[in-house]
Amino acid sequence: IIPRYMEIMRAKLPLLSAPNNWLRAFRDIVRLNEHALRDVSNTTLEAIVDALLPRFRSAISLGKRAVASNCYLSILFLLKRRRYSKSFLGKDDPRYHQILDCLDDLEAARYKGKPFLTESKKTFIDSLRRFLAHNATLEDQHVGGNVQEEPADGDGNDGN
């Protein structure tokens, strides 16, 4: 069932005008199922990342914290794929650098005169950077278990 959902996500994400609920569901499927990505190809997951990155950039520029949060959390949990494919989103993959660029933009972003990220979210982003670089610490491994839902952005009935 999960590989089929991933194929649907791959096809639908680029077309959705309001992706937040889809991103939240995707994030939770991968977060809560330790082996959700075992039977999903790198090609499918890379296509999801390709569709996720423009959403991430847009969320940052528009100040949509809930969407941005679901994007960076999805990226973190997608890294579970490395259990089955060590090279997934490796340093030689252009997506790796695009993710780092998004994280740089996220950390520098201000919205309505305030920093986009709270201090605890900045700590989370630091952990995500270490996971991407294959340098995560034991403390970083606990970061995914401390996921807190961002409140809806108020731009629609589902926070999109």
Side-chain angles (χ1 to χ4, degrees):
I1 291 177
I2 291 175
R4 178 68 184 130
Y5 176 81
M6 296 298 168
E7 287 296 330
I8 292 168
M9 182 73 172
R10 173 187 186 178
K12 283 195 172 253
L13 186 57
L15 307 174
L16 295 170
S17 62
N20 199 42
N21 286 336
W22 278 85
L23 290 168
R24 184 181 308 120
F26 173 76
R27 175 203 75 197
D28 285 345
I29 286 169
V30 178
R31 176 175 67 113
L32 299 172
N33 184 329
E34 282 301 308
H35 301 288
L37 303 177
R38 179 182 52 218
D39 300 322
V40 182
S41 72
N42 280 2
T43 303
T44 296
L45 296 175
E46 289 163 350
I48 290 171
V49 172
D50 288 340
L52 188 145
L53 287 169
R55 302 298 184 154
F56 194 11
R57 285 186 202 97
S58 175
I60 294 166
S61 67
L62 296 174
K64 293 184 175 240
R65 285 181 174 87
V67 175
S69 175
N70 284 325
C71 288
Y72 64 71
L73 289 168
S74 293
I75 291 166
L76 173 68
F77 297 124
L78 274 167
L79 293 175
K80 287 182 177 185
R81 175 65 184 164
R82 289 179 173 168
R83 293 175 180 167
Y84 314 105
S85 175
K86 297 277 186 222
S87 64
F88 180 70
L89 293 179
K91 291 180 182 180
D92 60 334
D93 186 326
R95 292 169 197 88
Y96 173 90
H97 299 286
Q98 292 171 22
I99 291 168
L100 290 177
D101 289 345
C102 284
L103 295 178
D104 289 344
D105 292 346
L106 182 66
E107 288 181 313
R110 296 185 69 76
Y111 188 69
K112 294 185 179 179
K114 296 180 183 176
F116 195 85
L117 293 174
T118 63
E119 287 304 314
S120 65
K121 297 290 182 187
K122 286 180 186 177
T123 300
F124 182 92
I125 297 302
D126 290 341
S127 291
L128 175 52
R129 286 179 185 278
R130 287 188 290 275
F131 272 107
L132 271 169
H134 292 271
N135 295 326
T137 65
L138 186 57
E139 186 176 308
D140 291 325
Q141 292 179 21
H142 299 289
V143 81
N146 297 325
V147 172
Q148 293 182 7
E149 192 80 25
E150 285 283 342
D153 295 316
D155 294 6
N157 61 5
D158 57 1
N160 291 299

